[in-house]
Amino acid sequence: MDSTRREIGVGVRRGRHAVALAAILALAAALRLVDIGTGWFGADQARDLTIAADVIAGRGWPLAGPVMRNQIRLGGVYYGFWVPPFALGGGARAAYLWAGLLGTAGVMLAARLGLRAGGPACGLAGALLLATAPIAVIDERVAWPPALVPLVTGLILLLALDQRERPSPLRALLLGGLCGLATQVHLSLVPIAALGLGSIVLARQARTVRNFGLAVLAFLLPIVPMLLVAGEPLATAPQTQVVLPSLANRIAAVLVAPMRAVGAVAGDAPALIATLLGLEAVWLPLALGCAVVVAWRGELPLRLVGLALLVSVAAVVALPAEAWAYYLDAALLPASVVLGWAVTRWRSAAVPWVLVGLALARVTVLSWWIGDVAQRGFIFADFEQLALAEPALGQGRRVRLLTLATKEQVWPRLLDRAGGDPARVAARLHGPGFADLATDNAYFEGRAVARALAAAARAPAGLGSRLLSAGSGGHGGRRPGSARPGPALEWPAAERDVALFYPDGLDPGFLGGADVETIGPFVSVTLPLRLRPERGRIVVCDGRTVSLPWPRVPALDPRNYGRGEIARPRWPCARVRVEIPIEGAGPWRLLAALRGAGQIVAGNLRAEGRDGDPERPQLEPLGAMPPGFDRGWAVPARAVALLLEIDIDGPATLDFVALPALRGVSRVKASSVRRSGGPERPPGLGIPLS
């Protein structure tokens, strides 16, 4: 009878454990997969997903991978991590779903590792801490290498434990191969891979030398492609001189990195969220303190987990280069397990409630953040907080990272707004919003253009702009201009300029007389063509009178990544004067900006019937400027050409917006494209929607 009761009791406890673990995994999946389109999408994602789609389409698997730290080129094995979602017929969203699922699998491994290190309670506590860790959730909502790091960390530690407890040649091969793959995922996994291989030697068991030799051979296999391309030149920009922080500042920044990383993308958080976010400041220091204890006095499984946390953090602190918050992602799983062990060692009925309270606080922060990003359509990222350099918090260099959903939604609408041949749409787009939209090197532009061209080829002539309103689809990465409509296709006759502004700080009256519409997070202004830079000429080059064509605009392609910078034209000299013919009649207003390396020094006009005087500017400066432009002038009706004096320091793009003269109130139309989860009216723009 007693044995039966014990068996029933064990079964009940196991059932409760399984239910609790299932609930934790469901929470982890929800935090990582709900509204998956709110993850940012940039040049890294465009490159990786384009090449993964190429592999599935049979266009070859590159031998060389991306460049790490602007110094070491990885092998093409790297791209294999993003092939599975495309092999199942998915696209960009499938890759983001894949990243979230891998993050959820990492939570499962945390439970398994905690079970072996400290029992069922430790496993559940570690899984809950990792499932709700804000930095883990944010990084695993994006298709990029940090999303894989906790999962790979857990796999290496579990295999290392198996090899220590039950050594075998097969496990040694598996462990070595996994450690080799880890070096191709991300720099932060190198110390974990070294620990995994070192655990075989430290075991001092029979046939240790043989097992270690097999592990080393398996380790080398995934990095063979990297070794084969090691001698190839790196197609990257010269690395700038970096001033590294002092050791004390680096340590201080690392200790509060979980709070800094979330705060760096939280934007202007409400007081409650900022208060709850402060709890993350003590998370990593507590975990490191516990890791020191268990690494010194703990049993084997727990000692290995503690060592993994210590070496992963120490490697970031000692890195003789810039370090970023996501370099600590390899510490997330071991830190969660170690903290789970410490909490469950505290024999009190309050322990479960403490864990639940912490989880609720974190879920509150993450739910607010996901909803805020969905409403905005972009993520505010503060690079100075993301860098592990100084301990002080504050607003530094903030940029907007547009989300996957925004880029999917905006591009088809822009094709309709700009008109003309969709393969030429990029030449007609302007403004600070477009500068952010183009950071994926034309990934979504290529998708939208390919869809529009295919729809036009199938449809009767004359459908025109209705075809260009179709949504995007298919695999990304087609270079704009690589496909051209056949002679039978008809496009809208009038090409138009489209400028994209952010509503923040934009005076609605400044857009008077323009056709204004809200598209996603942007204020879109559609305008008749006034300037075609491709028809302009360089007339003065470093003081010499010349007649040179406009610099060629490089074709954007997600595969041509470099260091992630947007490809910009290269100019023939450092001081140039350009002349661009003006189209159309009537007075108007000109906004100009040089995006890239350089600045606009002065502007002038060539007027109808006589030559303008280069020494006497005839452009009247505008009194106020919208964000994203540093020069603006009122242009009279008789002007026939624009002349600009420019200082060039490197690749740069001249950006123009030709607004009509102020005559009345602008007309704003509600777009069919809405920001995910947000209203159609842009915040801060006080223009009623008709």
Side-chain angles (χ1 to χ4, degrees):
M1 181 66 71
D2 290 341
S3 62
T4 303
R5 288 178 178 177
R6 283 195 298 271
E7 290 176 1
I8 293 175
V10 171
V12 170
R13 287 193 294 272
R14 286 178 177 174
R16 290 175 178 174
H17 179 273
V19 170
L21 180 57
I24 292 171
L25 292 176
L27 175 62
L31 291 174
R32 288 156 176 79
L33 302 178
V34 168
D35 211 345
I36 195 67
T38 54
W40 67 82
F41 194 100
D44 290 31
Q45 290 71 41
R47 175 202 61 207
D48 296 348
L49 302 191
T50 297
I51 294 177
D54 286 347
V55 170
I56 296 302
R59 290 190 285 271
W61 194 317
L63 185 64
V67 177
M68 181 173 58
R69 297 296 317 159
N70 200 38
Q71 296 176 358
I72 302 173
R73 183 184 296 282
L74 298 177
V77 172
Y78 166 88
Y79 298 115
F81 298 110
W82 304 110
V83 166
F86 288 93
L88 298 175
R93 281 191 175 249
Y96 276 58
L97 177 66
W98 171 249
L101 291 174
L102 293 180
T104 305
V107 175
M108 180 67 187
L109 293 185
R112 178 65 180 165
L113 196 58
L115 175 66
R116 296 182 62 172
C122 175
L124 290 178
L128 182 62
L129 290 172
L130 182 59
T132 58
I135 186 173
V137 172
I138 291 172
D139 284 353
E140 289 162 8
R141 291 177 63 87
V142 181
W144 67 330
L148 284 66
V149 169
L151 172 68
V152 177
T153 301
L155 288 173
I156 289 176
L157 294 179
L158 285 171
L159 271 175
L161 285 176
D162 286 343
Q163 179 63 21
R164 287 290 301 268
E165 295 173 356
R166 300 183 301 277
S168 74
L170 178 60
R171 290 192 182 91
L173 286 170
L174 290 175
L175 178 58
L178 181 60
C179 291
L181 285 174
T183 66
Q184 303 299 294
V185 175
H186 195 262
L187 177 69
S188 62
L189 284 170
V190 172
I192 301 295
L195 180 64
L197 291 176
S199 66
I200 301 177
V201 178
L202 295 177
R204 298 180 181 177
Q205 297 165 332
R207 300 178 179 177
T208 294
V209 175
R210 182 199 65 180
N211 289 339
F212 181 71
L214 291 174
V216 170
L217 288 177
F219 172 84
L220 292 174
L221 286 178
I223 66 174
V224 165
M226 183 178 77
L227 299 177
L228 293 176
V229 299
E232 294 185 4
L234 303 179
T236 59
Q239 193 167 21
T240 57
Q241 184 69 28
V242 176
V243 179
L244 297 179
S246 65
L247 180 61
N249 280 346
R250 174 65 66 83
I251 293 174
V254 164
L255 291 177
V256 295
M259 182 181 68
R260 286 171 62 104
V262 183
V265 298
D268 302 320
L272 174 62
I273 300 300
T275 301
L276 295 177
L277 186 57
L279 296 173
E280 297 300 313
V282 300
W283 183 70
L284 188 56
L286 285 177
L288 288 170
C290 296
V292 172
V293 173
V294 301
W296 181 257
R297 301 176 56 183
E299 298 295 328
L300 172 61
L302 193 57
R303 187 187 309 131
L304 184 64
V305 175
L307 285 173
L309 174 57
L310 293 175
V311 300
S312 60
V313 173
V316 176
V317 170
L319 186 68
E322 286 180 307
W324 300 88
Y326 58 86
Y327 284 21
L328 291 168
D329 281 7
L332 292 175
L333 186 144
S336 298
V337 173
V338 167
L339 279 179
W341 169 84
V343 171
T344 54
R345 291 270 294 180
W346 178 27
R347 304 296 183 183
S348 171
V351 169
W353 298 108
V354 170
L355 288 172
V356 170
L358 176 60
L360 287 176
R362 286 174 153 187
V363 170
T364 300
V365 172
L366 290 167
S367 299
W368 169 83
W369 180 78
I370 293 170
D372 182 68
V373 172
Q375 192 272 338
R376 288 177 183 269
F378 57 83
I379 298 169
F380 270 129
D382 188 336
F383 281 0
E384 290 189 9
Q385 288 195 53
L386 285 173
L388 300 178
E390 300 296 335
L393 298 179
Q395 289 190 0
R397 187 163 60 93
R398 296 178 71 185
V399 299
R400 290 178 172 92
L401 303 176
L402 296 179
T403 65
L404 170 68
T406 293
K407 296 199 172 187
E408 285 178 332
Q409 295 169 349
V410 168
W411 271 109
R413 189 72 186 119
L414 289 181
L415 296 186
D416 185 41
R417 296 280 285 178
D421 181 350
R424 290 174 41 83
V425 67
R428 304 278 72 86
L429 301 179
H430 310 276
F434 175 61
D436 290 342
L437 195 66
T439 54
D440 60 11
N441 282 323
Y443 181 89
F444 281 107
E445 178 188 348
R447 289 161 61 98
V449 168
R451 181 66 176 268
L453 293 173
R458 293 192 303 265
L463 289 184
S465 62
R466 290 200 303 275
L467 295 176
L468 305 186
S469 300
S472 62
H475 295 308
R478 289 195 64 177
R479 177 162 50 187
S482 61
R484 293 288 178 183
L489 300 182
E490 295 182 4
W491 308 107
E495 284 187 296
R496 297 177 291 271
D497 276 333
V498 179
L500 295 177
F501 297 91
Y502 290 104
D504 310 18
L506 180 63
D507 180 5
F510 194 84
L511 303 179
D515 181 9
V516 182
E517 180 181 10
T518 57
I519 303 180
F522 303 117
V523 177
S524 167
V525 184
T526 305
L527 304 157
L529 285 178
R530 289 282 191 173
L531 297 170
R532 296 179 185 265
E534 64 273 16
R535 297 182 180 178
R537 305 285 296 178
I538 297 175
V539 295
V540 176
C541 188
D542 286 339
R544 298 176 289 106
T545 300
V546 296
S547 179
L548 301 176
W550 197 264
R552 185 179 64 86
V553 179
L556 296 181
D557 189 327
R559 303 168 189 84
N560 299 334
Y561 175 79
R563 288 184 61 193
E565 298 90 347
I566 294 300
R568 301 189 184 279
R570 294 189 175 274
W571 297 74
C573 43
R575 170 62 69 93
V576 300
R577 182 180 302 161
V578 298
E579 180 173 341
I580 308 169
I582 296 174
E583 301 180 10
W588 50 288
R589 293 170 296 153
L590 170 67
L591 305 179
L594 193 70
R595 309 201 185 280
Q599 63 178 339
I600 299 173
V601 178
N604 199 358
L605 292 175
R606 191 177 301 283
E608 187 174 9
R610 63 182 179 85
D611 290 341
D613 184 356
E615 303 301 327
R616 189 182 63 191
Q618 299 173 0
L619 289 168
E620 179 182 348
L622 297 176
M625 296 294 299
F629 287 94
D630 50 15
R631 292 284 182 153
W633 300 277
V635 182
R638 59 189 178 87
V640 296
L642 171 70
L643 293 93
L644 293 178
E645 196 92 11
I646 308 169
D647 280 343
I648 301 292
D649 296 326
T653 303
L654 263 177
D655 192 11
F656 301 101
V657 172
L659 292 171
L662 287 173
R663 293 178 181 176
V665 181
S666 62
R667 176 170 56 89
V668 181
K669 300 180 295 185
S671 170
S672 59
V673 178
R674 301 182 59 174
R675 287 172 292 172
S676 174
E680 291 181 327
R681 177 173 177 171
L685 185 63
I687 304 177
L689 299 175
S690 58

